[in-house]
Amino acid sequence: MTIVASQAPAGDEVPLHVHHHVDECFLVLVGHYAVTCGDDRFEAGPGDLVYLPAGVPHAYRVGDQPGDKLIIAVPAGLEEFFRDLGRDGLDMDELQHRHGITFL
């Protein structure tokens, strides 16, 4: 299991993508998120737990205020994606392949 604290500025977006081998969820601590998960679209606010199962395309956008959340992923390893995301010289194709994620 991976647990990562995440802070995002107002209006920040994570584009539509699929985790092929990882179930992800996040617990909203502060702010509001517009979430797409498969065919479902909904709002999540403080105290809400959002479940994003492996193999289902999902995306989200932070509302008008900054957002804080805890990202929980099973099995562990998503933290390596975040580490690699900040590395110079690693292209998006390699990043997606290495971590079993496809951006749509």
Side-chain angles (χ1 to χ4, degrees):
M1 173 184 295
T2 295
I3 300 175
V4 176
S6 173
Q7 298 176 328
D12 191 43
E13 292 184 68
V14 173
L16 194 64
H17 64 287
V18 176
H19 297 269
H20 297 285
H21 310 290
V22 173
D23 290 324
E24 177 183 7
C25 57
F26 62 84
L27 176 63
V28 179
L29 302 173
V30 174
H32 289 87
Y33 293 77
V35 180
T36 299
C37 183
D39 293 333
D40 296 327
R41 288 170 178 68
F42 55 91
E43 297 286 324
D48 289 337
L49 181 67
V50 176
Y51 176 60
L52 307 165
V56 178
H58 59 274
Y60 55 87
R61 183 178 190 283
V62 181
D64 295 337
Q65 301 295 321
D68 291 349
K69 64 186 180 307
L70 290 179
I71 300 170
I72 303 137
V74 175
L78 190 60
E79 71 280 7
E80 295 300 326
F81 168 78
F82 292 119
R83 284 187 190 121
D84 283 350
L85 189 60
R87 290 190 180 148
D88 289 336
L90 189 63
D91 71 17
M92 190 56 81
D93 288 338
E94 175 61 23
L95 185 68
Q96 291 180 85
H97 176 73
R98 183 180 292 182
H99 298 286
I101 300 172
T102 302
F103 286 90
L104 305 172

